[in-house]
Amino acid sequence: MGLPTIRTEVPAYAMRVVDTLEASGYEAWVVGGWVRDALMGCRGHDIDVTTSAPWQETARVLRAAGIEVHETGAQHGTVTAVVDGLPVETTTYRVEGAYSDRRHPDEVRFVTDVREDLARRDLTVNAMAYHPGRGLLDPFGGQDDIACGVIRAVGEPARRFEEDALRVLRAVRFACRLGFVIEPATQEALTAAAPGLADIASERIGQEIDGILASGRMAWALRHEFDVLAAALPELAPLRGFDQRSPYHAYDVLEHTARVCAGVEAVSGGCAARPLRWAALLHDVAKPSAFSMDDGGRGHFFGHPEEGARVAGRVMGRLAVERQTVREAQALVRLHDLPIKADVRSTRKMLAKLEDACPGRGAALAHMLIGLKRADALGKAPNCLAYAVDLDAHEAALRTELERGKTCAVSDLKVGGADVIRERCIEPGPGVGLILRSLLAAVINDELPNDREALLAELRYDD
């Protein structure tokens, strides 16, 4: 396999920072993710620069050239230059001292050799520097590892992960994002260091888990890096080896969950929505605690969707996932076992439940729920696979209902509060809402059409 080469030009806005620093006698390189992505033929996003200039000099030189500068991390030698409205994080070459708390270096020391700076980085694929004139600087073999599809720690793996336990999850995230395998010594070290995630801020763990989910390869992570994921999310630990004792399930809860995570990617073409990915991961998280067994030895999980939604809310809240995503994922977990039929009444009831949980999102969540149900069926025993096909009819019923104009909330009715007050001759108050909700129930149950004249006639009827 030939080595990759950089064929992508460094964007002009970033080269302006590099050229300005070098015109003042300092050395500067593009580093990090842009270099890695360029070697892989991918489009880079944020561009980072490292330089021999002390941060104070970096700020002075760039400002003198008319470049906007923000001192975003001066204590670590970092400033952010803004060129043409685009940020370029620029950091002085540095090395880091011991990590007593396994999260932050006790000290940062500035150096003059870029190789020392690269040596402090976590993974070889992230420890390269590039300059259009000087070429690629790759002291740790990151280019070879990209060619071979390998994630490898820089230097001694145990030391890298002991310094900052979050690197354990970062390694898994990069393996998932890039589709690489983790080199054995690095794997051994990150597994040993995984318990250190208990010392890491929950929101930082949440960002990494979110990145693993966004890669679409959570199934791989569950199967190959479960020790790491269970250290990051202890609620997952009971899933491994939990025998469901059910004719509907051929796998333990962990393998079923992995199959559902893979399934939502398959049914969405690899573009599953964020709430759906979280729901796939957590949909059966409460099964171990809800387990009971009947006299015949068959397992049951009564109430696990409702309890699972509560656990999902607690987990995602701890990880600082934004509230809207939490609410939507909770709704999907709570309703993933909801019995549905391919008819108007059942479809409207499903939409109403989702709309009630997440106003304005009922239609989008209905598609996600059917996707979750389909993936759930694909992850069960072979005798359940037919249900994944049966859901085609449910999806068709949903599309038909949405095309005709969904009716799943009071706001969808063709009459409003003013009509109720006028036709029933009542005062504004809670009674108006009760009447509207009763009309909505009648429409959902297909007892009344959502037609203005029909609804007004119902309001005029006085028993």
Side-chain angles (χ1 to χ4, degrees), residues 119-409:
R120 71 174 172 82
R121 297 172 185 261
D122 54 359
L123 307 172
T124 61
V125 296
N126 297 331
M128 296 175 284
Y130 177 73
H131 186 283
R134 296 188 292 273
L136 181 70
L137 181 61
D138 180 22
F140 303 104
Q143 187 176 205
D144 287 332
D145 286 342
I146 288 174
C148 296
V150 169
I151 294 295
R152 185 190 311 273
V154 171
E156 174 55 42
R159 180 181 176 185
R160 289 284 83 82
F161 298 125
E162 287 170 0
E163 288 171 343
D164 182 357
L166 190 68
R167 288 172 172 171
V168 168
L169 271 178
R170 278 175 54 83
V172 174
R173 173 168 62 83
F174 276 109
C176 288
R177 177 187 161 189
L178 303 177
F180 287 6
V181 297
I182 298 179
E183 177 267 333
T186 300
Q187 179 65 63
E188 182 180 358
L190 70 83
T191 301
L197 288 168
D199 298 325
I200 299 298
S202 295
E203 60 269 21
R204 297 179 73 201
I205 290 175
Q207 290 167 359
E208 296 299 328
I209 297 295
D210 221 18
I212 293 170
L213 285 166
S215 75
R217 299 189 73 227
M218 179 55 82
W220 180 90
L222 286 168
R223 289 172 175 141
H224 297 276
E225 301 294 341
F226 189 71
D227 288 337
V228 172
L229 291 179
L233 299 178
E235 291 84 357
L236 296 179
L239 305 189
R240 179 159 54 187
F242 198 97
D243 187 347
Q244 303 194 62
R245 297 181 178 273
S246 167
Y248 302 113
H249 286 279
Y251 312 103
D252 70 5
V253 183
L254 174 58
E255 176 59 22
H256 169 71
T257 299
R259 287 172 178 260
V260 174
C261 287
V264 296
E265 301 300 331
V267 301
S268 64
C271 297
R274 190 178 179 209
L276 177 55
R277 284 170 165 159
W278 276 103
L281 176 63
L282 299 173
H283 77 288
D284 276 352
V285 70
K287 269 193 168 179
S289 63
F291 179 73
S292 63
M293 193 160 58
D294 62 25
D295 293 339
R298 178 172 167 179
H300 300 279
F301 304 93
F302 300 118
H304 85 273
E306 294 78 12
E307 179 60 21
R310 286 189 286 271
V311 175
R314 184 170 69 246
V315 169
M316 296 174 72
R318 183 179 75 234
L319 300 180
V321 179
E322 67 265 21
R323 188 62 193 146
Q324 184 63 27
T325 298
V326 176
R327 283 195 294 266
E328 293 185 16
Q330 282 185 288
L332 295 172
V333 172
R334 185 179 298 112
L335 298 175
H336 79 271
D337 270 356
L338 176 73
I340 57 174
K341 297 179 181 179
D343 59 34
V344 170
R345 181 177 178 182
S346 182
T347 300
R348 287 178 178 173
K349 283 188 174 181
M350 174 182 67
L351 282 165
K353 287 178 181 294
L354 292 166
E355 188 70 23
D356 185 60
C358 300
R361 294 287 292 159
L365 285 170
H367 286 294
M368 292 186 216
L369 183 59
I370 290 176
L372 180 59
K373 283 177 163 291
R374 198 186 301 272
D376 196 27
L378 293 172
K380 292 182 176 180
N383 60 354
C384 297
L385 295 179
Y387 183 60
V389 178
D390 293 343
L391 285 164
D392 289 348
H394 298 77
E395 190 118 45
L398 173 62
R399 286 196 300 268
T400 298
E401 178 64 18
L402 295 177
E403 286 168 2
R404 71 161 61 114
K406 66 178 176 63
T407 306
C408 58

